[in-house]
Amino acid sequence: MKNIPFTKFSGICLAVLILFKINAANAQNGPIVLETEKDALVLQVDSQKQLHNAYLGEKLGSGEEYRNLPMVGALAGDYTGIYNAAYTPSGSRNLLEPAITVTHADGSQSLDLQFISQTIDRISPDIELLTIRLKDPVYDFDVSLFYKAYYKENVIEQWSSIEHHENGEVVLQKFASANLYLQAGSYWLRQYHGDWEKEMQPEEAELTHGIKTLDSKLGTRANLFMPSVFMLSLNKAAGEDEGKVLAGGLEWSGNFRTDFEIDPINNLRIITGINNYASAYKLKAGEVFQTPPFVYTFSAEGKGQASRNLQAWARNYKLLDGKGTRLTLLNNWESTYFDFNEDKLHQLLKDTKQLGVDLFLLDDGWFGNKYPRNDDHAGLGDWQENRQKLPNGIAAIGKEADITGVKFGIWVEPEMVNPKSALYRQHPDWVVKQPGRQEYYFRNQLVLDLSNPAVQDFVFHVVDSLFVRDPHLAFIKWDCNAVIYNAYSIYLKHDQSQFYVDYVRGLYTVLQRLRAKYPTVPMMLCSGGGGRVDYGALQYFTEYWPSDDTDPIEHIFPL
């Protein structure tokens, strides 16, 4: 195939690469060609060392066909030459939405990222990792782009890392994980919205010029109103089994932002990552800032195949024990709510085995003495057994479960605190609240400051101590019932713009420590309905609670 016009290729232009079979030619002398089981992507570097995307679609027939792709470093009508940049910088010649914006140590906001090198590593027979290094020719400022491809699943994880060695701090104003570029006649976005008991309500519409933004500013439980996942169809709204679809989402449990921008020549730019809202980040010389992965898949066989690609990837590589069995459980919550004692729990336990379930779960209300947890106004933060309800502690309930022939699990919400609690009075410096301003509550509670290492230690100890009290504890239900109001960290002092990022990093630090000590204990990720279901958190859990709407009729509607 020779001299074939670029527009005849049935594919998507993207600033990313599906790996495998990488072309050994120098990147500036020929395309970088990468293939998965079904698809191929091409990256090009122009004579000015600018990194561009060239093609994404079904595999072409030979290496010669890839080499005959026209150079797309200068698209017709592109005044800048970087509409289709792999990672668009601001402050130089860019006229559109950037992937990265910085303020250098000398106050300049200019940035130009040029191709330096590429490496590729095979992690397993199914996984390869491509790393591309970009560098500013004037400032000692580097960006590395990472593309982790899963051959059989046709799935990519993409992220970036940012580092500098300037004489002083650099402020990152925006720091995307991925910068994609698509070319089609039209673009149809399927997005999701909702609230408690109304999660994942689908909407689909054709994109028009301007910028369409999906985002969250909730801090934690961040996808309560809008998750980061989406499906994008090319040329027409795809069906279940036909049409070209890009589906993906950000692996991050905090604020996210995804921009969809149709450029002046009618191609689509997608820039996604941590929301830079109120989140300028100071980066010291030699410090590395790594963005969370954006995971996505391309399907030429409709939305159903895109969904199955991501599901297979999640079960194989992301969800803990994704192909293992799961425990069925009996939860006391809807039987007793906060009103229970040992006798009531024993009565429930008597029938647990006969119901055919594997585990009895003790839900909210088992803790707090000075401020007992008899409703949702008090007790959060005081994780000692309530002596009135459980005079013999949780171990006694676990022992009764063992006698009955089932396992025992327990509910916690260790990231949160009620103002009516001993913890709130002992450690007001651990609470996310603004000095001098009236507190505002979500479900009568506030959030603990997980950017603070002392709070991370406390949250780790809350869960760890449960296993000390009952070494046979077999299940943790980890809940999250509040978003972040009154955003302010006493610990961060003058670096408040780093709070939203450092809070989520602190949460992940706790989860990593717990999984290092308890690698196989089943844990459910819950948030009063699926407000915290994302791939970033799922890797630490064996299951999640998608919604408090348990009406089976509601669950049959397609997403």
Side-chain angles (χ1 to χ4, degrees), residues 221 224-225 440-446 481-483 485:
R221 202 177 172 188
L224 174 65
F225 298 151
Y440 192 75
Y441 307 125
F442 193 107
R443 205 188 182 222
N444 309 303
Q445 63 194 64
L446 295 169
N481 283 294
V483 300
Y485 289 136

Side-chain angles (χ1 to χ4, degrees), residues 22 64 148 225 229 241 260 289 319:
I22 185 164
E64 184 67 21
K148 191 175 185 180
F225 298 151
V229 297
D241 301 312
F260 301 85
F289 184 97
L319 183 64

Side-chain angles (χ1 to χ4, degrees), residues 180-246:
L180 315 184
Y181 194 74
L182 294 78
Q183 188 176 59
S186 60
Y187 312 93
W188 294 79
L189 177 64
R190 189 176 187 85
Q191 65 185 80
Y192 305 90
H193 70 95
D195 201 343
W196 178 70
E197 283 200 323
K198 300 184 292 291
E199 298 87 357
M200 295 294 287
Q201 305 296 306
E203 293 179 328
E204 188 162 20
E206 183 178 1
L207 291 174
T208 59
H209 287 84
I211 297 179
K212 167 75 173 184
T213 299
L214 307 181
D215 78 338
S216 172
K217 302 180 182 71
L218 305 182
T220 187
R221 202 177 172 188
N223 57 6
L224 174 65
F225 298 151
M226 176 175 290
S228 68
V229 297
F230 64 88
M231 288 189 175
L232 189 90
S233 303
L234 304 182
N235 299 314
K236 63 177 182 177
E240 182 69 13
D241 301 312
E242 55 84 27
K244 295 183 173 69
V245 177
L246 178 78

